[in-house]
Amino acid sequence: MNNDTGEVIASLRKELKLTRILTVISIVVTLILFGVVFWMQRTVKTSVEPLAEQLSEIDTETLNGIMTNLEVVTEEIAEADIDWEKLSETVNSLDVDAVNEVIQGMDTEALSEMLVNLNEAIETLQQLGNNMGSSLQGWLFGGNGEGD
């Protein structure tokens, strides 16, 4: 009987050792994931702040007025019988230099670059969130994280 008890105790010690190892590994992986999420949050914040500053400078009332006017014009164009030849002549007579002067006052390259960075950051965060969610679901419910 003592021999059986000794074997059970040895088996339990092995299982306890394995459980401790898996617990330590889980803690290390969790800390690494938190570090990655924290780093990504800081990266996104530094990418988004300049964009947020530029967006805060936009006059939304004027922008809404322009969009409303554009919608009205679009509806009028759809309803109108357009003389495309005359429209072409009008566009050709447009003062391109005046348009260029207006565009030069805007920093369109920086805005475009910030929007690209923002889109990439959002995609990365969404992917990270999906991966963490499925991993956490698998860990909590004993599945493989693929929507068992």
Side-chain angles (χ1 to χ4, degrees):
M1 177 113 178
N2 281 339
N3 194 18
D4 290 338
T5 306
E7 289 177 15
V8 169
I9 290 174
S11 174
L12 289 174
R13 283 186 178 159
K14 284 182 182 180
E15 288 181 29
L16 182 59
K17 186 184 266 186
L18 178 63
T19 303
R20 286 179 181 165
I21 291 171
L22 291 176
T23 302
V24 169
I25 291 172
S26 297
I27 290 171
V28 169
V29 168
T30 302
L31 291 174
I32 290 171
L33 285 174
F34 280 130
V36 168
V37 169
F38 180 74
W39 175 77
M40 294 205 51
Q41 181 264 341
R42 291 183 60 84
T43 303
V44 168
K45 184 178 178 184
T46 58
S47 298
V48 171
E49 280 180 347
L51 178 62
E53 290 173 7
Q54 285 190 354
L55 289 175
S56 68
E57 295 174 3
I58 292 176
D59 183 7
T60 55
E61 290 180 17
T62 304
L63 185 60
N64 284 337
I66 290 171
M67 294 305 289
T68 302
N69 290 341
L70 183 62
E71 185 177 319
V72 169
V73 168
T74 304
E75 289 174 3
E76 289 175 358
I77 289 173
E79 295 172 358
D81 185 24
I82 298 175
D83 182 3
W84 293 104
E85 219 172 285
K86 187 173 182 179
L87 179 62
S88 175
E89 291 172 8
T90 304
V91 169
N92 286 334
S93 68
L94 183 65
D95 186 1
V96 177
D97 291 331
V99 173
N100 284 335
E101 286 179 26
V102 171
I103 292 174
Q104 286 175 348
M106 298 181 346
D107 189 4
T108 55
E109 290 181 15
L111 181 61
S112 295
E113 184 178 326
M114 281 186 268
L115 289 174
V116 167
N117 289 340
L118 178 62
N119 285 335
E120 290 175 355
I122 289 171
E123 284 181 24
T124 303
L125 282 175
Q126 287 174 339
Q127 289 174 350
L128 182 62
N130 291 340
N131 290 344
M132 287 181 65
S134 63
S135 296
L136 184 61
Q137 181 182 9
W139 182 69
L140 288 175
F141 299 108
N144 59 8
E146 297 175 2
D148 290 328

